[in-house]
Amino acid sequence: MEIKFIPIDYDSFDYKGRNYMKMVGRDEKGKRIVVIDSFEPYFWAILKEGTSEKRIKEMQKKMSKISVEGADRITWIEKTEVHEKNFLGKKVRAIKIFITNYKDAHAIADKLDFEEIEYRREYDLGMITKYIFEKGVSPLSWFKVSGELLNNSAELGGIDSSLDVSTCIKADKIEPIAKENFNPKIVAFDIEADEFELGKGEIVMVSVVGKEFKRVLTWKKAKNVPDFVQCYKDEADMLEAFSETIKELEPDILVGYFSDGFDMPYLRARADKNHVKLDLGIDGKNPLFARGKYPSARIFGPVHVDIFRFIETVYAQYLHSETLGLDEVASELLGENKLDFDHKHSSKIDDDGWAEYFKYNLQDSVLTYKLAEKLWPDMLEFSKVIQEPLFDITRAGMSQLLEHYILHNLKSYDEIAEKRPIHDEIESRRGRERVEGAFVFQPTPGLYENLAMFDFTSMHTSIIVSFNISKATLQDKNSKDSYESPEVDYQGKKEKFYFSKKVGFLPDIVKKLIEKRKEYKKEYKQNPNPLSKARSNAFKVLSAAVHGYIGFFGARYYSLESSASILAFVRKYNKEIIDKVSAHGYNVAYADTDSVAFTLNNHSKKEVLELLKRLNDELPGIMELELEDFYVRGIWVTKRTGELGAKKKYALLGENGKLKIRGFETVRRDWCALSRELQDEVLEKILREGKPDNALKKVQDVLEKLKKRKIDKEKLIIKSQLRKPIEEYKAISPHVTIAKRMHELGMPIDVGGLIGFYISEPQSHSRKSLIRDRAKLPEEPGEYDIEYYLEHQIIPAVENIFQVFGIKKEDLLGKKQKSLMEF
DNA sequence: GAGCTCTTCTTACC
DNA sequence: ACTGGTAAGAAGAGCTC
């Protein structure tokens, strides 16, 4: 039979010691189907140069006798082929070694101790990656599958009977076809439990939300429950009903928010405790938890996506939210919030309370559903572009995403993949000295008028392409046809590095990445829609990560020489632009890495654009400088200590009236709201008005209120993140002290959580206590310490700004406030 | 225990 | 441990006298 098929998730299984792939997806009518495919796993033995044909034949013969024996299978080398390939850009002869079971690839590779083998490669790729690479069956693209319909067949050990799906096909042939569009069925879920600690309390409810489906499953009896609530006998009964509900809805994606870290492991723990199965997939298995930063909960059938993890790696840097909690993220991306609800143990909830609780729980799933719907184009594009399944791309870090993109693109270069670094290699890479980074211009504090800013587009990446920089193109010494890096301090020596002019596979892959990014950006601008935006964004995010990847200790294509060279070029071109802009009669105010800001003096905008064109004409390769914007005013301030201008701290007023504030306390979440709001207002007034008069009045007004204790305590809460387990801290700062106290009080705190506190008045007047001893939880009774907030929050936030106008701290405080301190 | 520098820590920028 | 380096700044740690 023949069928159109879009694969969504992949899983391997063994039959008689051999590997098969089972893929779950949809046919063109939207029916869920499973396609089974065989494949011939292999890895490479790269031969030393000059190995004789005779010797190769001998080795092949010996290889045909190699096998390893495991607990439940024997794996052997089935056949070998000799190929001309490339490895790190060099032509090599390599033996392609086909084995009967890929799980034993490492063990077989270890047995190949022939002297003529220089490297053994590609036994460390994931099985699914290997399958997709070899067969070209990429996720979320359409294929024509011809094969045999398995119907309670004994074939492959009766695999089709073990799967809860009506159509299961054993493929003979899988060919790509052009067919766009796929709308997945998304179902979101969220649980509420009596205890925060995984599995400790009972799960009191589970909400499930689909396109036209809203339900809360519970076993708690309450009066006047909303009609979306379905009540069950007990927790076990509810858990089974949850599995049933998911099966009936048959989603492609089962999505949660932080569900790898909370909902799934909790459900699993409670299911075990109640001796019921958490049967969410089509293979009758409990969710599997893979190791990692968070355990990844995997089910087969629907893909379990923890949308929080995808947001964390791909979106966090573009979001303004201070935490990545559901409430803030939904508020920013959807303009909707969680419902207010005061969490209580279920024994203390009355009928009205339950009704609220159910609504709250449902809303969490509604938000999660909407987030998944909104981010679907992004997930789809990432999966298609990187050619890895949804399950993986929603959980992978940036380096893994890029690495898989590279790996799947090696095919057209006939490249054998480099190996992943092993333990010792990682240790030595991590222990190495840092290479010198970018240049940051030392600004002169002051108020500037009439500015422009230029910046390089994807500077690091365009340098990699323009100078062909990579591990494989690095030359031993200066050869005639090579690019020369600027001189760098490298491991205690001054050095230059040389990169071949023959285009390397990695710079070429990156070049295409940038080209696609441009193409899709253009496409998006011509026809703005979520899909083209997502596609453009996927390429943007990937191309931005290339330099970081090359310097990352875990990378297959790690190259410190490359990283040092890229950064040397970054410094060189930034400084060159600064010099050229100055030489043309502009006054450079600031520069950081890939940007330069300058005042126009008497030049027109037209002249600025002409200068930009000239600068671009002088740039090599694909390097490109663009106009960031024109600005009406800008302010740079001194550092807190000393006279020097502070770097990475400035505020600009755009011609469109928008403020661009960088580095100031107002953009830092570890300052209290009062300081941040006041500083924001001060900057805005000064930039709009060009003088500090009204801003000064505002400050004095706030100081007056603070002095009279008329400021709401809420505005004085300082928040700081707990970034590691409490016991690992050497310095016990206020937020660590508070975290300890919260822990003692049995409040839910976890690594990554934001700890809020305020500073209260000192107990005794004589003894100067540590600040941490005066830190109190927001809800703890007490008076805030006026002097602390004055001296440590308000004044520091505005002092340096007014200093630009010669206004001193005393002028801010006025005479009356001065006497307060004596008092 | 005051006054100083150094270290640790968080959060920003690009 | 899960992209890189540069930087500001608060508060504690640790030292001297």
Side-chain angles (χ1 to χ4, degrees):
Chain A
M1 71 176 294
E2 206 176 273
I3 203 162
K4 283 178 185 157
F5 173 61
I6 182 168
I8 303 168
D9 202 14
Y10 300 64
D11 193 17
S12 63
F13 69 97
D14 284 5
Y15 174 63
K16 290 191 174 166
R18 290 178 187 270
N19 307 127
Y20 294 86
M21 195 55 63
K22 57 176 190 262
M23 292 169 275
V24 63
R26 300 270 173 190
D27 68 7
E28 75 264 42
K29 292 188 195 92
K31 199 166 77 166
R32 175 182 272 168
I33 60 172
V34 167
V35 171
I36 313 276
D37 196 11
S38 62
F39 77 116
E40 299 180 288
Y42 66 88
F43 64 94
W44 294 98
I46 300 169
L47 300 169
K48 284 184 183 159
E49 221 180 310
T51 307
S52 71
E53 291 305 312
K54 189 177 156 239
R55 183 63 190 135
I56 293 173
K57 289 252 155 58
E58 278 171 25
M59 285 163 67
Q60 284 181 282
K61 203 171 171 190
K62 283 187 183 162
M63 283 179 186
S64 68
K65 295 192 179 87
I66 291 177
S67 67
V68 291
E69 202 164 335
D72 55 351
R73 64 172 174 262
I74 301 170
T75 297
W76 63 92
I77 295 178
E78 193 151 51
K79 62 172 176 182
T80 54
E81 296 169 354
V82 183
H83 288 257
E84 305 289 328
K85 297 286 287 183
N86 293 310
F87 181 60
L88 295 175
K90 291 187 184 67
K91 280 204 180 336
V92 291
R93 297 203 87 193
I95 305 180
K96 193 174 189 178
I97 299 167
F98 292 87
I99 53 175
T100 54
N101 196 309
Y102 190 62
K103 285 178 196 151
D104 296 316
H106 205 298
I108 296 271
D110 280 346
K111 286 202 148 192
L112 297 177
D113 50 358
F114 300 98
E115 207 187 298
E116 290 81 359
I117 296 176
E118 187 145 31
Y119 309 106
R120 291 155 298 178
R121 289 295 184 271
E122 294 196 7
Y123 55 82
D124 63 354
L125 298 168
M127 193 166 340
I128 292 167
T129 301
K130 194 91 183 170
Y131 170 79
I132 293 170
F133 182 86
E134 200 44 33
K135 295 276 206 151
V137 186
S138 308
L140 298 164
S141 295
W142 284 94
F143 294 89
K144 188 172 83 185
V145 178
S146 36
E148 174 196 351
L149 182 70
L150 301 181
N151 197 358
N152 288 322
S153 132
E155 256 190 272
L156 301 171
I159 179 78
D160 76 294
S161 325
S162 75
L163 295 172
D164 186 16
V165 65
S166 56
T167 310
C168 183
I169 296 166
K170 189 184 162 213
D172 293 324
K173 206 160 127 197
I174 305 181
E175 291 173 302
I177 49 170
K179 188 174 185 306
E180 281 286 331
N181 296 337
F182 167 67
N183 287 316
K185 203 167 173 191
I186 300 172
V187 168
F189 75 110
D190 183 62
I191 67 162
E192 302 297 334
D194 263 343
E195 297 283 341
F196 190 73
E197 199 184 313
L198 293 180
K200 197 179 165 198
E202 288 164 316
I203 295 175
V204 295
M205 64 185 85
V206 185
S207 55
V208 180
V209 169
K211 194 178 169 78
E212 278 152 5
F213 186 90
K214 283 182 182 175
R215 188 171 291 171
V216 171
L217 292 72
T218 186
W219 54 282
K220 290 288 177 182
K221 276 88 190 160
K223 281 174 197 152
N224 309 322
V225 295
D227 54 9
F228 56 78
V229 177
Q230 190 94 35
C231 198
Y232 296 89
K233 187 170 94 242
D234 52 25
E235 193 187 19
D237 209 22
M238 176 192 74
L239 292 173
E240 285 187 314
F242 173 58
S243 294
E244 279 311 309
T245 308
I246 299 304
K247 276 178 185 293
E248 277 162 31
L249 290 170
E250 205 184 76
D252 296 302
I253 299 171
L254 180 62
V255 59
Y257 201 91
F258 202 64
S259 45
D260 269 345
F262 187 72
D263 304 66
M264 275 297 188
Y266 216 123
L267 281 163
R268 177 70 205 272
R270 295 308 300 176
D272 286 352
K273 185 125 190 164
N274 283 288
H275 307 291
V276 296
K277 200 175 225 176
L278 194 59
D279 188 7
L280 300 167
I282 57 169
D283 57 0
K285 287 182 188 159
N286 274 316
L288 281 172
F289 292 89
R291 290 174 290 140
K293 187 176 167 190
Y294 311 105
S296 302
R298 181 166 205 138
I299 49 181
F300 185 70
V303 183
H304 170 225
V305 168
D306 181 349
I307 198 85
F308 159 78
R309 297 188 65 177
F310 186 59
I311 289 170
E312 191 184 31
T313 42
V314 178
Y315 284 89
Q317 64 179 124
Y318 301 108
L319 293 177
H320 298 104
S321 310
E322 280 171 16
T323 67
L324 292 180
L326 178 59
D327 186 56
E328 269 200 89
V329 170
S331 171
E332 185 170 348
L333 290 174
L334 307 170
E336 283 185 59
N337 286 81
K338 278 166 78 104
L339 298 180
D340 273 333
F341 183 74
D342 191 13
H343 273 273
K344 278 181 239 167
H345 192 276
S346 58
S347 59
K348 290 174 188 158
I349 300 174
D350 58 19
D351 282 341
D352 288 344
W354 279 111
E356 291 305 306
Y357 205 0
F358 295 138
K359 282 184 204 159
Y360 167 88
N361 176 232
L362 186 74
Q363 172 72 355
D364 277 7
S365 282
V366 168
L367 294 177
T368 305
Y369 177 83
K370 287 184 178 175
L371 277 176
E373 211 177 32
K374 174 145 192 167
L375 297 185
W376 166 249
D378 302 64
M379 291 187 260
L380 173 72
E381 283 310 319
F382 263 94
S383 187
K384 288 177 78 157
V385 164
I386 291 158
Q387 298 179 57
E388 286 283 315
L390 268 182
F391 179 85
D392 304 271
I393 62 102
T394 52
R395 287 170 175 80
M398 224 45 246
S399 68
Q400 267 189 72
L401 290 176
L402 181 64
E403 190 156 277
H404 277 114
Y405 179 81
I406 295 169
L407 290 172
H408 285 291
N409 278 284
L410 290 180
K411 217 172 198 170
S412 48
Y413 304 89
D414 251 334
E415 263 281 324
I416 295 175
E418 176 57 300
K419 70 168 191 298
R420 200 189 291 140
I422 51 165
H423 191 73
D424 291 356
E425 179 65 27
I426 290 179
E427 283 306 301
S428 86
R429 289 181 185 181
R430 287 184 63 203
R432 55 116 179 139
E433 261 179 63
R434 279 188 156 193
V435 293
E436 187 186 349
F439 170 75
V440 187
F441 187 89
Q442 177 71 68
T444 305
L447 185 73
Y448 295 73
E449 308 241 335
N450 228 353
L451 301 119
M453 195 188 275
F454 290 160
D455 60 11
F456 284 94
T457 35
S458 313
M459 192 186 202
H460 298 72
T461 318
S462 67
I463 286 172
I464 292 168
V465 175
S466 302
F467 298 102
N468 201 32
I469 299 174
S470 71
K471 170 175 175 156
T473 46
L474 178 70
Q475 306 293 99
D476 290 342
K477 53 181 182 293
N478 186 6
S479 65
K480 216 172 76 188
D481 256 350
S482 61
Y483 295 105
E484 181 182 324
S485 82
E487 197 170 69
V488 294
D489 285 325
Y490 186 78
Q491 295 176 345
K493 279 186 283 183
K494 297 257 184 224
E495 281 208 61
K496 284 184 178 184
F497 295 110
Y498 302 91
F499 298 91
S500 154
K501 284 196 177 172
K502 190 185 151 228
V503 179
F505 66 90
L506 189 61
D508 202 49
I509 288 172
V510 172
K511 185 180 168 202
K512 291 191 176 122
L513 202 59
I514 292 186
E515 281 165 2
K516 282 182 191 160
R517 150 89 177 129
K518 270 192 184 158
E519 185 187 325
Y520 293 130
K521 193 176 176 181
K522 205 169 133 195
E523 189 185 291
Y524 170 66
K525 284 201 169 156
Q526 278 166 359
N527 173 27
N529 68 77
L531 218 72
S532 59
K533 187 182 179 183
R535 196 171 289 170
S536 153
N537 187 60
F539 283 103
K540 177 184 170 181
V541 167
L542 285 176
S543 58
V546 182
H547 169 246
Y549 169 80
I550 288 173
F552 166 53
F553 57 77
R556 285 174 196 261
Y557 294 103
Y558 172 86
S559 167
L560 192 56
E561 296 90 339
S562 299
S563 181
S565 304
I566 294 160
L567 290 165
F569 277 119
V570 166
R571 289 190 296 274
K572 175 187 154 154
Y573 283 101
N574 193 21
K575 285 180 186 166
E576 256 181 45
I577 295 297
I578 293 168
D579 291 345
K580 286 178 182 174
V581 167
S582 308
H584 279 84
Y586 298 87
N587 181 23
V588 171
Y590 187 60
D592 184 349
T593 311
D594 60 353
S595 71
V596 57
F598 52 92
T599 55
L600 267 55
N601 301 347
N602 294 317
H603 295 87
S604 66
K605 284 185 186 172
K606 194 170 158 252
E607 286 174 292
V608 172
L609 294 173
E610 280 164 9
L611 171 65
L612 180 64
K613 195 180 173 302
R614 242 172 112 166
L615 294 174
N616 266 312
D617 289 342
E618 291 161 13
L619 285 171
I622 66 160
M623 288 188 75
E624 197 182 4
L625 195 66
E626 64 177 357
L627 176 76
E628 212 267 340
D629 217 345
F630 289 107
Y631 297 94
V632 182
R633 282 194 190 91
I635 190 167
W636 276 263
V637 302
T638 60
K639 288 203 277 185
R640 194 84 78 230
T641 49
E643 305 290 300
L644 287 177
K647 297 172 176 181
K648 300 192 184 284
K649 219 177 163 180
Y650 59 88
L652 295 165
L653 174 64
E655 296 195 318
N656 55 5
K658 272 192 180 169
L659 287 185
K660 178 174 172 154
I661 300 179
R662 295 288 119 100
F664 273 108
E665 285 74 8
T666 188
V667 300
R668 292 183 61 98
R669 68 174 180 190
D670 55 352
W671 283 71
C672 73
L674 183 70
S675 303
R676 296 175 66 183
E677 285 165 13
L678 179 63
Q679 190 189 56
D680 196 54
E681 214 169 319
V682 164
L683 286 171
E684 175 153 8
K685 280 186 165 37
I686 286 174
L687 288 176
R688 289 200 196 285
E689 295 162 11
K691 52 190 167 72
D693 308 30
N694 285 325
L696 180 60
K697 280 195 196 115
K698 176 71 197 177
V699 171
Q700 286 168 339
D701 182 42
V702 168
L703 287 175
E704 199 66 24
K705 280 192 181 137
L706 179 68
K707 205 193 83 185
K708 289 180 184 155
R709 212 180 274 289
K710 279 186 177 160
I711 303 285
D712 202 350
K713 198 199 272 178
E714 213 175 275
K715 295 247 181 236
L716 302 176
I717 303 301
I718 298 162
K719 291 179 200 152
S720 195
Q721 195 186 23
L722 193 71
R723 288 163 52 104
K724 54 187 177 187
I726 294 170
E727 57 286 2
E728 281 176 28
Y729 280 91
K730 287 183 195 165
I732 309 303
S733 47
H735 83 289
V736 179
T737 313
I738 293 299
K740 271 186 192 166
R741 198 171 308 154
M742 288 169 77
H743 183 71
E744 282 157 16
L745 292 168
M747 295 165 77
I749 52 148
D750 239 331
V751 173
L754 264 194
I755 310 289
F757 58 90
Y758 73 97
I759 304 303
S760 64
E761 289 189 308
Q763 288 298 311
S764 86
H765 288 276
S766 56
R767 224 173 68 89
K768 203 189 160 191
S769 58
L770 287 169
I771 287 159
R772 65 167 173 233
D773 296 330
R774 295 190 278 134
K776 284 188 174 176
L777 287 163
E779 55 271 30
E780 250 181 299
E783 299 280 15
Y784 57 77
D785 183 16
I786 294 171
E787 197 189 319
Y788 172 83
Y789 282 97
L790 212 123
E791 289 291 331
H792 292 258
Q793 288 280 325
I794 301 305
I795 299 292
V798 297
E799 191 182 0
N800 299 76
I801 301 170
F802 285 102
Q803 204 189 324
V804 166
F805 304 93
I807 297 168
K808 296 198 174 66
K809 183 179 163 187
E810 295 82 63
D811 305 323
L812 296 176
L813 287 163
K815 280 167 198 167
K816 282 174 194 167
Q817 278 80 4
K818 240 168 126 185
S819 60
L820 176 93
M821 297 169 58
E822 289 156 19
F823 178 76

